[in-house]
Amino acid sequence: MKRRQFSRLLASAPLLLPALVRAQDGTAITLIVPYPPGGNTDYVARITSDSLRRTLGSSVVVKNQAGAGGTIATDALIRSRNDGNTLMVGSIGQVSLVRFLFNVRYDPLNDLVPVANIASNPLVLTVPSSSRFQNLAQLIEYGRAKPGALTVAHGGEGSMSHMSVLVFLKRAGIEATLIGYRGGAPALLDTMGGTTDLYSANISEILPYKDSGRIRFLGVSSRQPVPQLPGVPAIADTISGHEIETWNGLFAPPGTPAEVVDRLADAVQVMLRDPDVLSKFDASGSQPRAGEVKEKFARRIRDDIALWTPLVSLIGVKPAN
């Protein structure tokens, strides 16, 4: 069969996978999510589960296993059988950043098999619509002039809302009062209500409220502005070199056979060519990462660690016991 013909077949028909990838005897593939339902990682995982079900011809069950910044779920994946029937949609937190945040037993570079990155998201500096701050320059001026006066919400120690805002505050020269919440949802709600002054939100969290009249966006953490938030500048326009993003990718247990990883990676690429999936990602502000598979995905993780090593030193974060 010619390569072009095979590519068409791959894009339009279920993959013909060996028993190692297909769930056997009615056993569903388990897709672990290291966070509670409702967040961005859960959203990406449910889109992924639907696509894998169609492509692999097998049932896929999403299992939310939250706790300890996603390390409980990651431990569970590592201990699973490496037959392709247990996978995880993980994020930067329990992979690239985990050694900075937690004393864990696993090595993210050697104990996880990176199958394919799925999508990435920028963070958005968000204030209530009633805020005195109309732009980033005003917020920075106020924060510098009144140390500790600015109240900053985050979704918990080590979350990206926490880590990203610490980097911003340090680079901006602001001392602020940080208020931690159990997850991003209550942090965002309190910011919209005016209880806190600032929240660094995943773009997928704030897009549903874009036209609500309850929040204002001061800057995005991507290198360039994003089309979903027209008129909102990049933070890098004010703080040179500021660029932070998070991502969600598919992982398998250690020792998963190469042919299984190959076919799972192919299945993710099929998903990232699906117009319906691309429309959902666009609506959530997610940037698909087609082609970032296996070693390319592993390289991103290594690059993340290199990027965050000096940033963690800058903000003074230490691993939790």
Side-chain angles (χ1 to χ4, degrees):
M1 180 181 291
K2 293 181 178 179
R3 182 177 298 179
R4 185 173 298 174
Q5 291 174 318
F6 176 75
S7 298
R8 291 196 187 109
L9 177 62
L10 182 64
S12 62
L15 298 178
L16 302 177
L17 302 182
L20 281 169
V21 179
R22 287 185 177 275
Q24 296 297 297
D25 301 323
T27 302
I29 294 173
T30 299
L31 191 60
I32 299 173
V33 180
Y35 297 108
N40 183 69
T41 301
D42 181 70
Y43 179 75
V44 171
R46 292 180 189 279
I47 292 173
T48 302
S49 69
D50 287 344
S51 181
L52 292 181
R53 174 180 52 79
R54 293 190 301 270
T55 305
L56 303 180
S58 183
S59 59
V60 182
V61 175
V62 173
K63 180 181 181 182
N64 295 89
Q65 196 166 355
T71 61
I72 292 173
T74 309
D75 272 329
L77 176 74
I78 291 169
R79 294 194 305 268
S80 300
R81 293 179 60 185
N82 56 9
D83 57 4
N85 286 341
T86 304
L87 307 168
M88 180 178 78
V89 172
S91 74
I92 189 173
Q94 61 279 164
V95 183
S96 304
L97 301 185
V98 68
R99 288 295 185 91
F100 301 128
L101 303 173
F102 302 98
N103 290 311
V104 293
R105 293 173 294 179
Y106 65 84
D107 179 351
L109 293 176
N110 295 308
D111 293 338
L112 294 169
V113 176
V115 176
N117 202 358
I118 299 170
S120 62
N121 302 70
L123 288 300
V124 184
L125 289 177
T126 302
V127 299
S129 58
S130 59
S131 173
R132 69 180 76 195
F133 310 122
Q134 300 297 317
N135 54 55
L136 206 53
Q138 291 178 356
L139 182 141
I140 292 173
E141 182 182 10
Y142 176 88
R144 289 174 176 171
K146 297 181 179 294
L150 199 66
T151 56
V152 179
H154 64 80
E157 296 286 332
S159 65
M160 279 304 291
S161 63
H162 181 224
M163 300 290 282
S164 62
V165 84
L166 285 177
V167 173
F168 163 74
L169 293 171
K170 193 71 175 181
R171 286 175 165 170
I174 297 172
E175 292 182 22
T177 300
L178 271 70
I179 302 172
Y181 291 79
R182 291 187 175 181
L188 176 60
L189 288 174
D190 265 10
T191 300
M192 288 194 296
T195 302
T196 54
D197 295 317
L198 179 68
Y199 175 56
S200 180
N202 190 304
I203 189 172
S204 67
E205 294 178 279
I206 51 86
L207 283 181
Y209 302 99
K210 181 176 69 171
D211 300 317
S212 68
R214 300 174 65 188
I215 48 178
R216 181 181 303 134
F217 311 121
L218 301 187
V220 295
S221 67
S222 50
R223 187 177 304 173
Q224 302 292 335
V226 295
Q228 293 87 351
L229 296 174
V232 179
I235 298 169
D237 291 348
T238 302
I239 301 176
S240 180
H242 187 89
E243 182 182 1
I244 292 174
E245 69 174 11
T246 184
W247 47 257
N248 293 115
L250 186 67
F251 293 88
T256 301
E259 66 173 352
V260 175
V261 176
D262 288 344
R263 288 175 170 85
L264 289 169
D266 286 345
V268 173
Q269 301 317 293
V270 170
M271 176 179 73
L272 295 180
R273 292 194 295 269
D274 183 335
D276 182 56
V277 169
L278 295 178
S279 176
K280 289 176 181 177
F281 281 154
D282 182 69
S284 70
S286 298
Q287 177 65 44
R289 291 299 178 186
E292 198 169 304
V293 301
K294 298 177 294 186
E295 177 52 33
K296 286 185 179 180
F297 188 19
R299 189 183 312 136
R300 169 182 277 263
I301 295 167
R302 294 193 296 269
D303 289 347
D304 281 343
I305 293 171
L307 171 69
W308 276 94
T309 296
L311 293 180
V312 168
S313 178
L314 175 72
I315 61 182
V317 169
K318 303 291 183 183
N321 293 325

